[in-house]
């Protein structure tokens, strides 16, 4: 597996551990909360800390166990009273002959499993390191009837023999839409390096 790294501002985007023990993750959570307080220039309330901890613990468990994500990143600029914005990466073996079809399948949800009323908009997306890929924005009604959004980026990297997907979803469309420029910049900042 290649390691996904970023040139994004480390005060805004930082890795979230998916492996290791509970104590290491608890230490990371403490650092995340301190960084969030510094970024927003105020002390976080007890409730904000508790909600953030619970959300990130649940996100890490879901990404590790259900999604089997390779890596995860947190966007630190979300308001402290809102849930953090978490993106994950996943790598797949690259089949150069079928790469375009494979990329569209990675970026867009499977139509057979898509819920009724799901809307998908896929456009080309260029990365300075990976070249042309795809960005897919998906919207659907959540269990409570509220609008849910997800965005996925997919590129083929034949040089390293992988297809790479970056994906995140959020249940506050206004906050995610307000962060789209930062998310696009983050996607453009990704690069691959050999695992140590």
């Amino acid at each position: 597996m290649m390691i996904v790294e970023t040139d994004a501002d480390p005060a805004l985007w930082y890795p979230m551990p998916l492996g290791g023990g509970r104590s290491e993750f608890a230490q990371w959570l403490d650092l995340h909360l301190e960084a969030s307080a510094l970024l927003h220039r105020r002390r976080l309330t007890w409730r904000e800390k508790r909600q953030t901890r619970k959300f990130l613990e649940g996100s890490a468990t879901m990404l590790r166990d259900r999604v089997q994500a390779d890596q995860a990143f947190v966007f630190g600029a979300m308001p402290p009273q809102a849930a953090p914005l978490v993106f994950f990466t996943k790598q797949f073996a690259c089949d150069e002959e079928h790469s375009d079809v494979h990329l569209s399948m990675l970026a867009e949800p499977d139509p057979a499993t898509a819920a009724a009323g799901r809307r998908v908009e896929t456009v080309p997306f260029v990365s300075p390191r990976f070249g042309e890929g795809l960005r897919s924005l998906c919207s659907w009604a959540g269990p409570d009837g509220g609008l849910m959004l997800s965005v996925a980026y997919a590129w083929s990297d034949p040089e390293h023999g992988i297809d790479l997907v970056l994906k995140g979803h959020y249940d506050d469309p206004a906050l995610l839409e307000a962060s789209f420029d930062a998310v696009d910049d983050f996607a453009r900042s990704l690069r691959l390096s050999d695992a140590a």
Side-chain angles (χ1 to χ4, degrees):
M1 178 181 87
M2 302 294 294
I3 300 298
V4 175
E5 297 179 338
T6 177
D7 295 325
D9 183 346
L12 296 179
W13 289 96
Y14 34 89
M16 180 173 80
L18 296 177
R22 291 181 74 84
S23 63
E24 290 93 353
F25 192 78
Q27 289 174 348
W28 176 84
L29 273 172
D30 290 340
L31 290 172
H32 169 79
L33 294 170
E34 287 176 28
S36 184
L38 288 171
L39 184 65
H40 295 288
R41 297 187 174 126
R42 71 172 181 83
R43 293 180 68 125
L44 301 184
T45 67
W46 175 83
R47 173 173 275 150
E48 289 168 345
K49 288 180 182 180
R50 186 173 60 96
Q51 287 176 330
T52 299
R53 280 182 186 278
K54 185 177 179 181
F55 180 84
L56 289 174
E57 286 170 345
S59 294
T61 299
M62 188 265 302
L63 290 176
R64 183 180 55 243
D65 299 342
R66 280 188 26 216
V67 176
Q68 297 178 339
D70 296 320
Q71 291 174 255
F73 297 88
V74 176
F75 182 49
M78 300 307 269
Q81 62 276 17
L85 182 53
V86 178
F87 274 77
F88 68 89
T89 64
K90 220 168 149 70
Q91 298 173 33
F92 302 88
C94 176
D95 178 357
E96 205 169 336
E97 185 179 339
H98 301 100
S99 189
D100 291 342
V101 172
H102 192 207
L103 278 187
S104 64
M105 287 171 31
L106 294 174
E108 298 175 10
D110 179 358
T113 61
R118 188 174 288 245
R119 189 170 155 251
V120 179
E121 176 188 321
T122 301
V123 296
F125 185 85
V126 177
S127 158
R129 293 187 174 94
F130 303 121
E132 188 165 310
L134 298 173
R135 178 181 66 194
S136 181
L137 180 64
C138 183
S139 61
W140 69 97
D144 63 354
L147 182 67
M148 301 284 286
L149 286 180
S150 74
V151 61
Y153 302 81
W155 300 275
S156 180
D157 187 353
E159 178 187 342
H160 294 104
I162 65 166
D163 288 334
L164 176 67
V165 174
L166 170 69
K167 188 170 187 176
H169 80 273
Y170 206 61
D171 59 1
D172 187 331
L175 275 177
L176 182 56
E177 286 180 32
S179 305
F180 271 161
D181 288 343
V183 173
D184 279 353
D185 289 344
F186 176 67
R188 288 185 195 97
S189 79
L190 299 182
R191 66 179 186 277
L192 293 172
S193 66
D194 292 319

